[in-house]
């Protein structure tokens, strides 16, 4: 059926232009493995390589302490562009010879057209596998995963819970709360561990368990994306805050006593993931507010250890 | 007399909540029989908004760590040092690890598995609430644990009875999708069992062949582990995913828990039920008497209430002058 005459003249005022497809391969080629991380808040100079976010920094430390070097860092990617909306991600050249667990599915699909499959983007959990493949050595090959003995390996799990529990809660609470106006206008914050998942027992809903009013958690659909109120829908009471800040000095004291004068935590000979995690937390604490920082600055061995590891981690990265 | 407000008693144990139970065991160890238990379902009375909390005259103390330091404080009339048998720094780490990992397992069994929630936990607690709260408070309680279990990967697991349903209905055309789903569900349950196994293995190794974790006297770590093991092994779960694991593969931990039970919980602790005072007040949210986090929030709140009342009064006063349709 033909387009009727008058409509044809109408459409002729709105011509359709077709442009040739873009060639993705002509973009900047990847020069080496690059980690996408969140920008450091305090140090904005051109040679800042360490992120100030605990998650990103812990993976940066992990990569450096496993012995890799020459990794580039990019801070210009927003969290929304990462896999699952969470940074860090590692952008690596595609290695067809290595067999990763996630690439089994990918091999079935053949690349069609302008999709560039010469590089891969890995989310955080896959970084371990990539490093193992690159170094041809996995932590599980070592006796007790690189710790001194079985008791040390068990103890490392306990220290991980301490860091991710007490210390992380104190860090979260010490960050200055965004004012109401800022929280409405700011871009949406990425999902990260919130206080509700750390505190034991979990904080109650903001209007209480027994009240008739349901707990409110509003999401505003603004042009900038969705924002929701900052504490979510739970109420962190002042009694809870006091108890978190009471437990925090004990945790730091225990950490410092356990480190003593050892080179690596728990007396391991080589750095372990626990060291990466500890370094990430210590570094972030030293950059945050006075309330949490003074506990760590009081412990000389922690400060010295952090300084030494910081130099090692910094050496492994350069700005992209 | 010091009062400890906890979630209600069930299944032969003085409380159905792991944090409350561990505090009962701990207080029996430090101040045996010198406190009363109050079974309550009103966490809003607590300063932290959660049970357990203690009331000593006019002092209200919560959460658990504040209670322990309150009991250790001389100025409050108790001079009991906290039961930390050794001064090893790793004890602090073990306390946190026990409470979070074993707590996740107990909460998974009680609140996440649907069979257990529908047939055990919910009926146990729902009748304790007064009438309007009965219909929404248990659900809110379950939702409050969701975030923690989700981040531990222990939320929303299909239960035993759903698998049985899939087996009983023979529908060949639909069966194409079902075997893969069934496989995934079984795989997820195995994953939870593996997680539990790693955590419980650590504690078996830590306990070794000794009576208690740190020497001959029970300590806070013993109280924590025993409370969680009791809640994993004793209640009659319809879906005994982890209960079977604990009872069959970890006899040393079960023996340790029973030992602590005999030492602390087998004696009768004076208990009373919380009175339903302040019933109407509990229908409205409590205002935190602590520092308001943002002065603008207070201002906006006052402005809103003021405008609302002003509007109502204006309307009421102007009503006689508004002409009805004529």
């Amino acid at each position: 059926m033909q387009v009727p005459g008058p409509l044809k003249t109408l459409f002729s005022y709105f011509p359709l232009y077709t442009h040739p497809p873009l060639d993705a391969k002509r973009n900047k080629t990847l020069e080496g493995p690059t980690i996408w991380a969140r920008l450091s808040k305090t140090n904005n100079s051109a040679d800042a390589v360490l992120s100030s976010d605990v998650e990103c920094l812990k993976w940066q430390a992990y990569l450096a302490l496993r012995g890799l070097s020459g990794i580039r860092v990019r801070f210009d990617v927003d969290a929304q562009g990462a896999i699952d909306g969470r940074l860090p991600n590692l952008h690596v050249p595609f290695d067809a010879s290595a067999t990763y667990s996630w690439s089994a599915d990918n091999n079935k699909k053949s690349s069609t057209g302008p999709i560039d499959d010469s590089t891969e983007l890995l989310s955080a959990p896959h970084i371990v596998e990539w490093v193992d493949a690159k170094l041809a050595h996995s932590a599980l090959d070592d006796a007790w995963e690189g710790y001194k003995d079985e008791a040390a390996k068990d103890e490392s799990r306990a220290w991980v819970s301490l860091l991710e529990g007490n210390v992380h809660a104190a860090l979260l609470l010490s960050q200055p709360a965004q004012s109401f106006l800022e929280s409405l206008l700011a871009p949406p914050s990425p999902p990260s561990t919130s206080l509700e998942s750390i505190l034991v027992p979990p904080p109650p809903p903001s209007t209480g368990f027994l009240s008739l009013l349901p707990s409110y958690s509003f999401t505003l659909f603004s042009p900038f994306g969705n924002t929701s109120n900052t504490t979510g829908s739970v109420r962190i009471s002042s009694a809870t805050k006091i108890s978190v800040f009471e437990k925090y000095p004990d945790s730091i004291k225990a950490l410092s006593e356990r480190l003593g004068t050892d080179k690596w935590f728990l007396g391991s000979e080589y750095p372990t993931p626990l060291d990466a995690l500890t370094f990430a937390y210590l570094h972030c604490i030293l950059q945050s507010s006075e309330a949490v920082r003074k506990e760590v600055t009081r412990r000389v061995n922690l400060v010295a250890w952090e300084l030494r590891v910081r130099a090692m981690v910094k050496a492994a990265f350069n700005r992209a | 007399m010091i009062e400890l407000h906890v979630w209600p008693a069930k299944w032969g144990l003085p409380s159905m909540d792991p944090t409350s139970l561990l505090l009962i065991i701990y207080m029996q160890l430090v101040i045996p029989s010198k406190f009363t238990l109050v079974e309550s379902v009103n966490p809003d009375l607590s300063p932290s908004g959660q049970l357990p909390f203690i009331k000593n005259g006019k002092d209200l103390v919560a959460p658990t760590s504040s209670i322990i330091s309150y009991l250790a404080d001389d100025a409050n009339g108790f001079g009991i040092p906290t039961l930390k048998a050794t001064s090893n720094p790793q004890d602090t780490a073990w306390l946190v690890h026990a409470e979070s990992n074993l707590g996740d397992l107990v909460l998974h069994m009680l609140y996440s598995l649907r069979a257990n929630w529908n047939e055990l936990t919910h009926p146990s607690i729902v009748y304790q609430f007064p009438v309007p709260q009965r219909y929404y408070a248990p659900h809110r309680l379950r939702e409050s644990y969701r975030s923690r279990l989700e981040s531990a990967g222990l939320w929303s697991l299909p239960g035993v009875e759903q698998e049985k349903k899939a087996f009983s209905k023979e529908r060949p055309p639909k069966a194409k999708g079902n075997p893969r789903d069934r496989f995934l569900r079984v795989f997820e349950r195995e994953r939870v069992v593996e997680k539990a196994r790693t955590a419980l293995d650590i504690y078996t190794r830590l306990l070794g062949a000794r009576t208690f974790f740190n020497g001959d006297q029970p300590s806070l770590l013993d109280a924590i582990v025993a409370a969680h093991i009791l809640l994993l092994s004793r209640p009659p779960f319809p879906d005994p995913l982890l209960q079977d694991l604990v009872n069959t593969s970890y006899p040393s931990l079960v023996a340790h828990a029973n030992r602590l039970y005999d030492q602390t919980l087998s004696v009768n602790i004076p208990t009373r039920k919380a009175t339903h005072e302040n019933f109407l007040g509990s229908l409205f949210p409590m205002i935190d008497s602590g520092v308001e986090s943002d002065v603008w929030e207070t201002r906006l709140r006052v402005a809103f209430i003021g405008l609302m009342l002003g509007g109502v009064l204006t309307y009421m006063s102007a009503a006689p002058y508004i002409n009805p349709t004529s």
Side-chain angles (χ1 to χ4, degrees):
Chain A
M1 193 179 135
Q2 279 284 344
V3 179
L7 268 181
K8 219 186 227 170
T9 39
L10 181 64
F11 288 163
S12 69
Y13 291 118
F14 306 101
L16 180 68
Y17 296 116
T18 311
H19 298 276
L22 291 171
D23 187 10
K25 290 201 174 86
R26 275 196 289 120
N27 287 348
K28 238 185 348 186
T29 51
L30 188 64
E31 285 155 19
T34 312
I35 186 165
W36 296 1
R38 198 168 299 152
L39 185 56
S40 157
K41 275 183 261 188
T42 46
N43 189 1
N44 281 335
S45 67
D47 46 332
V49 284
L50 295 179
S51 165
S52 67
D53 174 50
V54 179
E55 279 257 353
C56 301
L57 188 55
K58 105 178 162 203
W59 285 108
Q60 280 185 304
Y62 178 79
L63 287 168
L65 292 176
R66 284 286 310 255
L68 294 170
S69 61
I71 306 180
R72 313 180 87 82
V73 185
R74 276 183 78 165
F75 292 122
D76 52 351
V77 182
D78 189 76
Q80 295 178 72
I83 300 177
D84 285 341
R86 302 181 79 124
L87 288 170
N89 286 143
L90 192 63
H91 195 194
V92 296
F94 185 63
D95 188 357
S97 59
T99 45
Y100 304 130
S101 60
W102 68 84
S103 59
D105 278 334
N106 287 346
N107 286 338
K108 289 189 194 146
K109 301 184 245 167
S110 52
S111 68
T112 50
I115 299 174
D116 176 21
D117 58 350
S118 65
T119 61
E120 283 189 288
L121 191 63
L122 310 174
S123 63
H126 295 306
I127 293 182
V128 179
E129 277 195 48
W130 179 80
V131 178
D132 288 344
K134 195 135 202 274
L135 297 177
H137 170 262
S138 156
L140 299 171
D141 294 338
D142 290 330
W144 313 128
E145 289 178 20
Y147 295 103
K148 225 169 39 179
D149 54 12
E150 193 171 27
K153 180 170 83 116
D154 293 341
E155 211 188 308
S156 71
R157 309 285 188 256
W159 286 108
V160 168
S161 335
L162 181 87
L163 283 171
E164 288 182 349
N166 290 3
V167 177
H168 197 85
L171 248 186
L172 283 176
L173 279 178
S174 70
Q175 277 159 9
Q178 267 182 329
S179 81
F180 192 56
L181 204 61
E182 274 176 16
S183 67
L184 289 180
L185 295 179
S189 57
S192 53
T193 39
S194 59
L195 273 172
E196 331 175 340
S197 43
I198 301 180
L199 290 176
V200 175
S206 51
T207 45
F209 279 110
L210 298 188
S211 71
L212 271 178
L213 304 172
S215 68
Y216 54 87
S217 149
F218 56 85
T219 15
L220 282 182
F221 300 95
S222 76
F224 309 111
N226 303 349
T227 64
S228 49
N229 60 339
T230 40
T231 51
S233 51
V234 292
R235 177 170 74 96
I236 314 281
S237 65
S238 41
T240 320
K241 285 187 197 157
I242 292 176
S243 91
V244 166
F245 283 112
E246 261 179 13
K247 285 196 279 197
Y248 171 71
D250 293 332
S251 314
I252 297 291
K253 175 166 167 237
L255 206 63
S256 158
E257 278 177 22
R258 194 66 180 91
L259 178 63
T261 47
D262 292 341
K263 190 159 184 238
W264 299 111
F265 256 92
L266 305 179
S268 321
E269 223 183 297
Y270 297 108
T272 49
L274 177 61
D275 295 302
L277 190 66
T278 323
F279 167 70
Y281 276 106
L282 287 178
H283 189 79
C284 292
I285 291 174
L286 286 172
Q287 290 188 330
S288 61
S289 71
E290 188 57 33
V292 291
R293 195 173 54 193
K294 66 173 193 258
E295 279 304 321
V296 176
T297 45
R298 244 185 246 171
R299 319 272 167 193
V300 181
N301 61 343
L302 286 178
V303 176
W305 186 86
E306 192 267 340
L307 209 60
R308 181 171 63 90
V309 179
R310 194 194 314 177
M312 285 178 70
V313 174
K314 253 193 176 157
F317 292 97
N318 44 11
R319 268 309 261 275
Chain B
M1 184 70 132
I2 193 171
E3 286 183 349
L4 175 63
H5 292 241
V6 291
W7 288 104
K10 261 299 167 199
W11 317 308
L13 298 168
S15 175
M16 55 181 276
D17 174 56
T19 333
S20 315
L21 189 59
L22 83 88
L23 204 53
I24 296 173
I25 297 181
Y26 180 73
M27 285 180 71
Q28 270 290 78
L29 287 173
V30 287
I31 42 170
S33 305
K34 289 205 199 105
F35 61 99
T36 17
L37 277 185
V38 179
E39 292 182 12
S40 154
V41 287
N42 193 352
D44 296 338
L45 292 175
S46 152
S48 73
Q50 262 287 14
L51 293 173
F53 69 96
I54 58 173
K55 188 168 163 170
N56 186 17
K58 275 193 298 188
D59 294 335
L60 286 172
V61 189
T64 321
S65 58
S66 308
I67 296 177
I68 295 178
S69 36
Y70 179 84
L71 289 175
D73 198 352
D74 255 343
N76 299 322
F78 309 94
I80 320 120
T82 51
L83 273 186
K84 284 200 188 136
T86 58
S87 50
N88 281 344
Q90 50 257 45
D91 284 346
T92 329
W94 281 119
L95 295 174
V96 179
H97 183 262
E99 225 179 336
S100 63
N101 287 44
L102 295 178
D104 284 343
L105 297 177
V106 173
L107 292 176
H108 173 78
M109 284 293 277
L110 283 176
Y111 292 101
S112 166
L113 291 175
R114 279 198 203 110
N116 290 344
W117 170 252
N118 287 333
E119 289 163 43
L120 187 71
T121 329
H122 185 82
S124 313
I125 197 167
V126 71
Y127 295 109
Q128 316 255 3
F129 288 100
V131 163
Q133 279 95 342
R134 212 177 272 195
Y135 300 108
Y136 55 83
H139 176 72
R140 271 197 213 163
L141 186 61
R142 190 183 188 207
E143 283 302 306
S144 70
Y145 290 118
R146 184 188 185 147
S147 168
R148 190 169 147 199
L149 289 175
E150 265 176 354
S151 66
L154 288 171
W155 179 258
S156 180
L157 202 61
V160 163
E161 93 282 21
Q162 283 173 318
E163 287 183 323
K164 281 199 192 132
K165 259 198 217 154
F167 273 106
S168 62
K169 293 213 175 114
E170 310 284 316
R171 278 202 216 135
K174 231 184 175 183
K176 224 180 180 188
N178 276 351
R180 185 160 181 268
D181 290 336
R182 276 208 297 272
F183 172 74
L184 283 176
R185 284 201 287 263
V186 168
F187 185 64
E188 274 189 44
R189 286 170 72 85
E190 265 308 307
R191 213 169 36 95
V192 171
V193 170
E194 271 313 304
K195 259 196 227 230
R197 225 189 277 269
T198 30
L200 293 169
D201 279 341
I202 292 182
Y203 285 101
T204 321
R205 282 196 291 261
L206 197 63
L207 182 62
R210 294 173 291 182
T211 348
F212 299 113
F213 279 103
N214 289 317
D216 296 324
Q217 287 300 316
S219 62
L220 182 55
L221 184 59
D222 295 286
I224 296 180
V225 177
H228 289 97
I229 300 283
L230 284 172
L231 274 171
L232 276 177
S233 56
R234 294 224 176 168
F237 290 113
D239 184 356
L241 179 64
L242 295 181
Q243 185 176 27
D244 290 340
L245 177 71
V246 168
N247 284 334
T248 49
S249 318
Y250 297 98
S252 60
L253 290 177
V254 176
H256 169 264
N258 286 338
R259 227 176 289 140
L260 264 159
Y261 180 87
D262 294 331
Q263 190 171 345
T264 53
L265 301 179
S266 49
V267 296
N268 232 349
I269 312 172
T271 317
R272 69 173 173 88
K273 283 230 180 308
T275 48
H276 286 315
E277 61 202 34
N278 203 17
F279 167 63
L280 279 180
S282 70
L283 288 176
F284 299 99
M286 308 280 287
I287 302 179
D288 193 0
S289 52
V291 178
E292 269 292 350
S293 51
D294 200 345
V295 75
W296 269 105
E297 258 186 78
T298 337
R299 285 187 196 164
L300 282 174
R301 193 182 285 166
V302 169
F304 174 73
I305 296 178
L307 275 176
M308 190 180 71
L309 288 174
V312 169
L313 288 172
T314 320
Y315 178 73
M316 281 167 52
S317 58
Y321 299 107
I322 296 175
N323 276 332
T325 52
S326 53

